[in-house]
Amino acid sequence: MQVIQKLTVVSNPTRIFEVGTEVNKREVIEIKQVGDDNISEFWVIDENEQIIVSVENCPVIVEWQEFVEDGPAETVKTENDPQQRVISGAKN
């Protein structure tokens, strides 16, 4: 199973949202991809399951964390391989 660990919004200035960090005194607990074929959208969600920020149709770099579902806890690993990253942005 893969979950989004870090979302980098490529803008000026660059914005980085990472699970476990704080944004405006709210802890990021989850980053969800909620867009469809026509729109690229991500939600950054806090500990109360409220949206901190919605990122829509922006160029982003998504970093995933891979979890082994049927294995012991020590088999959890982080994937930082650029081939595992998804680069998304507004369509022209």
Side-chain angles (χ1 to χ4, degrees):
M1 176 172 84
Q2 288 184 330
V3 295
I4 299 173
Q5 179 65 32
K6 184 176 180 181
L7 181 72
T8 303
V9 182
V10 182
S11 61
N12 189 11
T14 299
R15 302 274 322 261
I16 298 173
F17 302 100
E18 187 168 4
V19 173
T21 61
E22 286 190 2
V23 176
N24 299 329
K25 299 183 181 181
R26 296 163 68 186
E27 184 178 358
V28 176
I29 62 154
E30 185 177 10
I31 301 169
K32 286 185 179 181
Q33 184 172 10
V34 295
D36 58 25
D37 290 342
N38 299 317
I39 188 169
S40 173
E41 185 174 4
F42 295 87
W43 291 348
V44 178
I45 300 172
D46 72 6
E47 66 275 7
N48 297 316
E49 297 184 11
Q50 300 295 312
I51 297 172
I52 298 172
V53 67
S54 174
V55 178
E56 186 176 315
N57 283 337
C58 293
V60 298
I61 300 171
V62 178
E63 295 184 36
W64 303 87
Q65 186 167 6
E66 181 78 26
F67 288 92
V68 176
E69 293 183 43
D70 293 329
E74 54 268 19
T75 60
V76 174
K77 63 179 183 172
T78 301
E79 291 291 335
N80 285 323
D81 182 349
Q83 294 176 344
Q84 295 294 320
R85 295 182 184 169
V86 174
I87 299 176
S88 176
K91 295 181 181 180
N92 294 333

